[in-house]
Amino acid sequence: MALADELQGIAIQAQAAAAKQGDTVRSLKASLKDGKAEKSEVEAAIQQLKNLKAEADVAQKAYEESAGDSAEQSKEAFRAQVAGVLERRLFYMPSFKIYGSVAGFYDYGPPGCAVKQYITQYWRQHFILEEDMLQVECPAVTPEVVLKASGHVERFTDFMVTDKKTGDCYRADHLLKAHLEALVDDKKAPLPSGELQKAKHWLAFVDELSAEQLGETMTAYGVKSPDTKNDISAPFPFNLMFKTSIGPKGDQVGYLRPETAQGLFVNFRDLLYYNGGKLPFAAAQIGQSFRNEISPRAGLIRVREFTQAEIEHFCHPQHKDHPKFETVADEEPLLYSREQQMGEDKQAQPMKLGEAIQKKIISSETLAYFIGRTFLYMKKIGMNPKRLRFRQHLQNEMAHYATDCWDAEAECSYGWIECAGLSDRSAFDLKAHAAKSKQDMTAYEKYDQPRMKVVVTPNKQVLGKTFKRQAKAVQDTLERMQGDAGAEQEALRLQLQLDTHGSAKLEVNGEEITVTPNMVDIKTESRSGGYMQPAIALLCYHLTMTACDAHALTFLEGCEWCNAS
C-alpha cells in the first residue's frame, strides 16, 4: 500500500498542475481578447496544458493499477459508493423507478426531505427573515413574452445532434467528448503519437467549441450515434426550456420557468409600492426551476427539475454601500480574484471582506456583504470552509451589462462546482422588461438639495404625423434620454446636433431616423427629485443535496438521519 499511497500523491500533484495550467490558459485567453497577450503565448500555454493532462492521466492510471482492490477509492468509485448509500437509505432515488425512470428526475425520501427541508428553512431564516426581505411566490408556468424580454427564448440553448434514422437526441459536446475519450484510452488500437496529441487537444477544449467547430470535429473523427452507429445531424441549438401551452385553446405559448428570478423582476413595481416607494430593498423567492437538459448526468448536479432560491437586491445605482457591511467585514473566505486567476499562483487566498473592499477587488459593499452572508450560510449548513471558495468572473466571462460577478464554488469529487452565483447586473433586467411591457420600472428619488436635470418632452402630435405607426417607438426612445447621467448626456448631444445642423440622426429599434427641432423639447430644469432605474444585485442558490459528497459537506450535527450508522 505504501507504493499505492506514493503514486496517489503523484497523481494528485499532476492533476493540480493541470488544473493550474488550465487557469493560466483561461487567463491568457482573457488577455488575448483585451489585446494584452499574443496568440503564440496562448497556443504555447494550450500545448503545455495538453502535456500536463497527459501526464496526469498516466499518473492516475498508474495509481489505479497499483491500488488493485483499493482502486474503488478513485473518484468515480467514490461517487458510486456515496450514491449507493444515499439511495439505499432513501435520501434520494430516481423518479418513476418502477417504469424504468426518466433521466434527470429524482425523488427525495424521508431522510432526504429532512435534510433538504433543513437547508431550505435555514436559507429562509438566514436571508429572508434576518434581512427583512420581501418574499414572493410566482407560478412555474411563465408566458412566452416574459422570457422573450429576458432573452431566454433566444439564447437559453445547448448544441444538440440527432440520429438521422431514429431521431434520437444527444448533446453534441458530450457525444464528442465520449468519442475522443474512447480513442485516447483505446489500448488495442492506439492512435499514432501525433493523432493522440490532436485528440487530447480537442478533448481539452470541447466545451468552448462553436456549433460549426463541433460539427467539423465530429465529422473529422467519424462520430456516430452511440446506440445505433447511424449517421448524426449537424449540431444545432436546442432551447433548454420546457415548452407548454396555456388555456384550453392552446393558443398562448408558455414555458416552465428556467429560473425563479423573472417573477421578482416583473413584480418590481408592486414590491416597490409595498415598500413605501423606498430603496434599497430586497425580494426573494424559493421554488422549482426546470431545464430540459439534453443529457442529464452527475447525479443531482445536472437535473431537469431542482429547487432554486434567488434574491434581487434593488438599490440606487450610485449608492451601493450597505449599512450592515461591518458585520461581515472581518469574515475571511477563500477569494479567487481575477488577479489571482491571471497571475502565477492560481490559488484562492483567504482575505477579509473589508480588505477586499479597500483594495477594490470586490466592486461594492452590497456585493461583498452578500458574499459574507453566503459564506456564513454555507458554513452553517455544514460545508467545509477549506473546500469553499468565491471565484470572480474574468472579464470575458461576464455579460456586457454586469459590473462584477462571483461564484460560490465547493470542491467535491467532480472538482469545483458552482453552488451559488452573486452578481451586480446594473439595471439590465428592469430595462429589458420596461422596454417590452411599456411599463415604468423606475423608482422616485427625493434629492437632499435641488438638482439641475435634463427634461426631454417629445411633441406627440408632430411625431404622429411624421412617423405614423412608428411614432410611439420614437417617443419612447426620446423619453429614455433622461433619468441617469448617461441618458442625459445622450440628450444633450442630440440637442447640440439639432441646434448646430437643424436635424439629428436617432436610432429606433435598429433603424436610423431623422429628428428635427419641432419634434422634441430638451431643456435643463431644477428638480427636487427624479426617477431613476435601480441597480440589481442578483444572488442565485441551487438548494440541492449535491454537497452531501463528503468532499464538501460534513454531517450535520444533531441530525439523526445523517449520523445514523
Side-chain angles (χ1 to χ4, degrees):
M1 291 303 296
L3 177 60
D5 291 342
E6 182 181 347
L7 290 173
Q8 183 184 27
I10 294 172
I12 291 172
Q13 290 178 359
Q15 290 164 2
K20 182 176 179 180
Q21 184 62 20
D23 287 342
T24 299
V25 169
R26 184 168 57 183
S27 66
L28 281 172
K29 285 185 175 181
S31 298
L32 178 64
K33 188 174 181 180
D34 295 336
K36 297 178 181 178
E38 298 293 332
K39 187 176 180 180
S40 58
E41 291 181 77
V42 179
E43 291 173 348
I46 290 172
Q47 183 59 49
Q48 188 177 353
L49 175 60
K50 292 191 295 184
N51 296 338
L52 288 171
K53 282 191 171 184
E55 292 172 8
D57 289 342
V58 171
Q60 179 65 22
K61 287 175 182 177
Y63 159 63
E64 291 177 357
E65 289 173 2
S66 69
D69 293 338
S70 65
E72 66 179 4
Q73 295 176 13
S74 67
K75 290 181 180 180
E76 187 173 342
F78 173 78
R79 288 196 291 264
Q81 185 181 24
V82 171
V85 171
L86 293 175
E87 286 190 32
R88 286 196 302 274
R89 293 185 178 277
L90 291 191
F91 276 82
Y92 70 88
M93 54 282 200
S95 301
F96 323 114
K97 191 159 58 173
I98 63 172
Y99 291 101
S101 305
V102 178
F105 294 100
Y106 290 91
D107 296 336
Y108 288 93
C113 285
V115 174
K116 185 168 178 280
Q117 188 73 0
Y118 170 83
I119 292 172
T120 304
Q121 285 182 346
Y122 186 70
W123 190 92
R124 184 173 185 272
Q125 173 66 39
H126 184 79
F127 288 107
I128 295 176
L129 299 183
E130 293 183 15
E131 300 291 339
D132 198 24
M133 295 179 177
L134 308 181
Q135 184 174 6
V136 300
E137 184 175 325
C138 305
V141 177
T142 306
E144 183 179 42
V145 64
V146 175
L147 295 165
K148 276 189 173 180
S150 67
H152 285 83
V153 171
E154 181 182 355
R155 298 189 296 271
F156 198 66
T157 58
D158 276 336
F159 295 122
M160 183 172 78
V161 294
T162 59
D163 185 309
K164 286 188 174 181
K165 292 185 178 179
T166 67
D168 290 340
C169 302
Y170 306 94
R171 185 165 156 177
D173 58 338
H174 290 178
L175 205 59
L176 177 58
K177 186 176 291 187
H179 184 84
L180 291 172
E181 286 174 346
L183 288 177
V184 169
D185 294 336
D186 191 346
K187 302 302 180 186
K188 294 182 179 179
L191 293 172
S193 177
E195 290 298 317
L196 180 63
Q197 292 300 320
K198 189 176 179 181
K200 288 182 177 180
H201 164 76
W202 288 118
L203 189 57
F205 296 98
V206 165
D207 295 336
E208 300 180 26
L209 300 181
S210 64
E212 184 178 357
Q213 290 171 322
L214 273 171
E216 291 174 353
T217 309
M218 295 176 90
T219 299
Y221 281 97
V223 179
K224 304 287 185 181
S225 171
D227 301 317
T228 64
K229 307 306 177 187
N230 293 330
D231 290 338
I232 55 175
S233 69
F236 59 93
F238 170 76
N239 195 290
L240 298 177
M241 293 190 294
F242 286 96
K243 192 173 185 178
T244 186
S245 58
I246 302 172
K249 293 172 65 177
D251 55 353
Q252 185 174 1
V253 176
Y255 295 90
L256 294 182
R257 63 186 179 196
E259 62 181 23
T260 52
Q262 298 308 315
L264 303 176
F265 298 136
V266 300
N267 284 308
F268 168 75
R269 293 174 63 197
D270 293 325
L271 292 170
L272 178 66
Y273 173 78
Y274 183 87
N275 201 52
K278 297 177 181 178
L279 292 176
F281 74 88
Q285 179 172 200
I286 304 172
Q288 297 302 99
S289 292
F290 306 84
R291 297 180 183 180
N292 195 12
E293 299 285 354
I294 299 169
S295 51
R297 58 178 180 171
L300 297 179
I301 293 178
R302 189 180 289 276
V303 292
R304 286 174 166 147
E305 179 180 354
F306 55 93
T307 302
Q308 193 173 38
E310 293 200 62
I311 298 167
E312 307 299 339
H313 180 89
F314 301 100
C315 62
H316 192 290
Q318 305 303 321
H319 306 298
K320 296 182 181 179
D321 51 335
H322 198 285
K324 295 169 64 178
F325 175 67
E326 290 304 317
T327 63
V328 300
D330 289 333
E331 292 297 328
E332 200 170 2
L334 288 173
L335 296 184
Y336 197 21
S337 69
R338 195 174 295 133
E339 183 180 356
Q340 289 164 332
Q341 293 174 65
M342 299 184 72
E344 291 294 324
D345 191 31
K346 312 293 183 190
Q347 289 290 328
Q349 298 294 336
M351 179 180 289
K352 290 184 178 181
L353 293 172
E355 182 184 353
I357 285 293
Q358 290 175 359
K359 293 182 176 180
K360 302 186 184 303
I361 293 172
I362 302 175
S363 65
S364 70
E365 279 191 6
T366 292
L367 192 56
Y369 175 73
F370 283 110
I371 288 175
R373 291 292 289 167
T374 302
F375 180 57
L376 292 172
Y377 165 74
M378 290 184 164
K379 287 198 297 181
K380 178 65 177 179
I381 64 170
M383 297 187 75
N384 183 349
K386 295 180 180 178
R387 293 178 178 268
L388 173 66
R389 72 183 184 188
F390 290 84
R391 187 185 72 82
Q392 187 177 31
H393 286 203
L394 298 175
Q395 288 290 355
N396 63 319
E397 293 180 273
M398 292 201 303
H400 66 277
Y401 50 78
T403 302
D404 196 10
C405 300
W406 295 76
D407 287 340
E409 299 178 334
E411 185 184 24
C412 67
S413 64
Y414 288 100
W416 289 96
I417 60 167
E418 178 189 345
C419 298
L422 305 93
S423 63
D424 182 338
R425 295 172 62 84
S426 65
F428 173 80
D429 303 280
L430 291 183
K431 286 181 177 179
H433 284 297
K436 189 72 174 178
S437 66
K438 310 302 181 188
Q439 298 293 319
D440 180 31
M441 290 285 190
T442 60
Y444 186 78
E445 175 193 12
K446 186 173 178 61
Y447 305 141
D448 295 332
Q449 296 180 345
R451 299 179 187 176
M452 300 304 294
K453 303 294 291 183
V454 174
V455 181
V456 180
T457 307
N459 188 325
K460 297 179 183 179
Q461 186 175 6
V462 175
L463 291 179
K465 289 181 179 179
T466 306
F467 297 108
K468 306 293 191 265
R469 293 181 180 179
Q470 198 181 10
K472 184 63 169 64
V474 177
Q475 177 187 330
D476 291 342
T477 301
L478 290 169
E479 288 179 342
R480 284 197 291 270
M481 291 183 176
Q482 52 192 337
D484 60 57
E488 290 185 352
Q489 287 296 321
E490 190 177 350
L492 293 174
R493 282 195 294 269
L494 180 67
Q495 182 64 53
L496 179 62
Q497 290 180 14
L498 291 173
D499 292 342
T500 305
H501 305 292
S503 66
K505 299 295 183 182
L506 182 68
E507 186 174 311
V508 179
N509 295 336
E511 181 182 344
E512 192 176 80
I513 64 166
T514 300
V515 178
T516 54
N518 64 330
M519 295 178 182
V520 61
D521 179 40
I522 301 174
K523 58 186 177 182
T524 303
E525 296 180 352
S526 176
R527 292 291 179 91
S528 60
Y531 290 91
M532 50 84 186
Q533 200 93 56
I536 303 165
L538 179 147
L539 305 103
C540 174
Y541 303 80
H542 288 205
L543 302 183
T544 71
M545 288 173 55
T546 298
C548 277
D549 185 319
H551 281 273
L553 185 65
T554 54
F555 285 150
L556 304 175
E557 185 176 356
C559 174
E560 59 176 303
W561 295 106
C562 294
N563 290 297
S565 59

